[in-house]
Amino acid sequence: MTPFNFSSRTDWDLLPNELTMRVTEHRRRGRRLLDLTESNPTRCELSYPGGKILGALLQPENLSYEPTPPGLLQAREAVAGYYESTAGHRIDPKQILLTASTSEAYSFLFRLLAEPGDQILVPRPSYPLLDFLARLNDVDLKAYTLEYRQGWHVDLNSVEHGLTPRTRALLVVNPNNPTGSGIRAQEREALTTFCRDHQIALISDEVFLDFEFEDSPSSGSPHTELPGTSSRPSPERTRLRSLVGGTEALTFCLNGISKMLGLPQMKLAWIASSGPPAALTAALERLEVIADTYLSVGTPVQHALPTLLHEVRDTMCQQILTRVRSNLRALDERVAQTAGLCERLMADGGWSAVLAIPRTKTEDAWVFEWLDRDEVLVHPGYFFDFESEGHIVLSLIPPEAVFREGIDLIFSRIEKVLK
Ligand SMILES: Cc1ncc(COP(=O)(O)O)c(C=O)c1O
């Protein structure tokens, strides 16, 4: 019999990679695992205010269904409030459209902006889900380079070179996963001008924006303050800054509660759109029809959103931020003891750290050795398309004790092998 015909866009190589196979076998044998790739916040021993979160879902309105394609107004107003209190930017709630996840937001935007075969400029290194999202939406990704020169920088030449008549959008991940690099003021200006001049959209994925590594010089990170409790932050105080509200280019900022509140299971994210009025109006109208086609965001989480943003965000953001900073400090202290064998690459924020490791063997060889001999799991850099070998990526959200023990084993192994 001839095989059944499936679409070529789903023609994936579904065989697990070698690392996945080894981890499965490791677990099957019942060995313990210090998982420094863990990125699911609900598995990281964070203290969720369960009563508040579940209470927010217990609303009688949840028993009726009023389909609202862009999302319930009170939920969109709460998102607008978030931008006002954190970025000091007032955005009309009508410019906010709710989606079930940031991944879905990407799909909506690719559908909005691109014909099959059109191109989206994306940073490299970055996170692998983008490849899947592009393929499922029939668009091609064209990489521009993030260069590491005492910190990550957008290689603006590579952006220019990546442009073709089929380019429809430029994507920034701000801060990027896994490099943790935010978009600097000059880069923001250059990229906005580029998008405006070439009539392409600017998409800014800001799911990690609230997790800045270093405290701002003055009163702490403005991104962790509750609405109404802070003086308006001056944008210069923080290196991580939302692109929300940009009017030069058609701009779409993506965020959601999956990372911001550590609640990926709630399935709520959004697109905050802005730009030149005519293009913005058309974009909002079309996005609304896309959203109407799926109506994918559940009613209970929309009703809960104001409470989640006003009463849960501060405590969750603060906890995750404390975790991330504490693990990063532990990593830096351990790096400092290795006498130059390793380097933690500079970054602005996010949930991961990149470690440059000795290139005496391949990334895989190191990663397999840590797994097999030390029971520690990390990701090799090539999973994220680093330009050269010699990197690993560590999640910064595992519990401190797990993280510290894990990195200690990693560095002890490096020292043993190289000394
Ligand atoms: C940079 C970045 N954007 C978006 C997502 C997807 O987030 P969501 O859970 O909202 O789909 C991820 C997931 O890890 C991510 O790393």
Side-chain angles (χ1 to χ4, degrees):
M1 259 208 315
T2 49
F4 193 83
N5 278 326
F6 290 99
S7 71
S8 59
R9 77 174 76 76
T10 59
D11 191 14
W12 293 295
D13 173 5
L14 293 174
L15 288 176
N17 62 35
E18 165 117 30
L19 182 58
T20 305
M21 288 195 290
R22 284 177 183 244
V23 172
T24 306
E25 178 57 17
H26 188 97
R27 289 202 159 106
R28 196 190 60 76
R29 290 199 198 161
R31 295 184 69 191
R32 89 171 182 151
L33 188 64
L34 294 164
D35 187 354
L36 303 195
T37 69
E38 185 58 83
S39 59
N40 178 345
T42 67
R43 291 195 202 127
C44 290
E45 296 176 20
L46 295 164
S47 168
Y48 286 89
K52 271 245 150 61
I53 295 169
L54 297 176
L57 294 162
L58 273 181
Q59 300 190 39
E61 295 90 334
N62 291 333
L63 293 175
S64 52
Y65 183 40
E66 302 290 344
T68 319
L72 293 174
L73 186 60
Q74 60 269 43
R76 297 155 79 203
E77 282 169 348
V79 174
Y82 161 79
Y83 284 113
E84 191 169 354
S85 68
T86 58
H89 181 82
R90 211 179 267 270
I91 186 166
D92 186 335
K94 294 197 183 92
Q95 291 168 244
I96 313 278
L97 180 121
L98 304 185
T99 61
S101 64
T102 321
S103 309
E104 186 180 66
Y106 274 121
S107 283
F108 284 12
L109 291 174
F110 292 165
R111 286 302 194 195
L112 171 74
L113 299 166
E115 302 291 349
D118 279 348
Q119 294 164 359
I120 313 289
L121 281 164
V122 296
R124 183 172 65 204
S126 197
Y127 80 120
L129 191 67
L130 291 176
D131 290 321
F132 288 84
L133 287 167
R135 184 154 168 186
L136 283 173
N137 289 286
D138 304 326
V139 297
D140 293 335
L141 298 184
K142 201 121 202 271
Y144 64 88
T145 309
L146 298 181
E147 260 184 342
Y148 191 75
R149 291 176 273 114
Q150 290 184 313
W152 293 96
H153 301 266
V154 174
D155 175 0
L156 294 170
N157 279 332
S158 72
V159 174
E160 292 278 353
H161 281 129
L163 184 78
T164 75
R166 301 207 65 174
T167 308
R168 292 291 164 263
L170 179 136
L171 168 63
V172 296
V173 184
N174 180 34
N176 189 31
N177 175 7
T179 61
S181 45
I183 296 295
R184 275 137 234 279
Q186 277 174 330
E187 292 170 344
R188 184 170 59 237
E189 225 178 282
L191 295 177
T192 304
T193 306
F194 175 84
C195 289
R196 182 201 64 196
D197 290 352
H198 297 288
Q199 287 286 295
I200 63 174
L202 178 58
I203 301 173
S204 182
D205 175 339
E206 302 182 342
V207 299
F208 292 116
L209 195 80
D210 286 343
F211 304 101
E212 184 155 356
F213 286 158
E214 279 175 35
D215 239 332
S216 307
S218 34
S219 66
S221 169
H223 286 284
T224 60
E225 286 163 2
L226 278 171
T229 61
S230 67
S231 57
R232 180 156 301 169
S234 121
E236 287 70 36
R237 269 210 252 140
T238 175
R239 275 169 298 151
L240 293 183
R241 191 180 151 196
S242 174
L243 270 61
V244 69
T247 49
E248 268 190 70
L250 186 58
T251 303
F252 302 101
C253 291
L254 314 187
N255 210 333
I257 65 172
S258 151
K259 310 286 191 274
M260 184 187 290
L261 275 66
L263 291 173
Q265 74 277 34
M266 294 286 169
K267 307 309 294 179
L268 192 132
W270 58 81
I271 304 170
S273 309
S274 59
L280 174 63
T281 305
L284 291 173
E285 284 169 1
R286 288 166 186 242
L287 277 173
E288 189 165 327
V289 178
I290 298 175
D292 196 12
T293 308
Y294 298 100
L295 292 168
S296 50
V297 194
T299 298
V301 71
Q302 294 189 59
H303 281 304
L305 190 66
T307 305
L308 296 179
L309 287 179
H310 293 144
E311 296 176 34
V312 176
R313 184 173 77 82
D314 196 42
T315 166
M316 289 316 301
C317 248
Q318 203 53 57
Q319 270 189 72
I320 299 173
L321 201 53
T322 302
R323 174 74 56 83
V324 158
R325 287 177 178 171
S326 155
N327 283 341
L328 192 68
R329 243 187 340 268
L331 180 61
D332 287 345
E333 281 162 17
R334 197 60 183 82
V335 167
Q337 294 163 13
T338 64
L341 291 179
C342 295
E343 181 193 358
R344 199 266 295 171
L345 302 195
M346 285 162 71
D348 303 310
W351 285 12
S352 48
V354 180
L355 199 62
I357 54 168
R359 296 188 196 184
T360 47
K361 48 180 149 186
T362 64
E363 287 172 351
D364 266 349
W366 278 117
V367 170
F368 297 159
E369 186 163 348
W370 285 316
L371 177 65
D372 295 341
R373 303 188 64 177
D374 302 310
E375 307 186 311
V376 181
L377 177 61
V378 296
H379 277 147
Y382 76 85
F383 277 14
F384 303 85
D385 240 351
F386 279 76
E387 258 193 336
S388 60
E389 266 270 331
H391 301 96
I392 55 169
V393 174
L394 311 172
S395 169
L396 292 171
I397 63 164
E400 276 102 341
V402 171
F403 188 83
R404 274 161 207 257
E405 190 179 351
I407 57 169
D408 205 47
L409 288 161
I410 286 175
F411 286 104
S412 300
R413 175 71 48 201
I414 292 176
E415 284 154 0
K416 241 180 254 166
V417 169
L418 295 190
K419 281 184 179 163

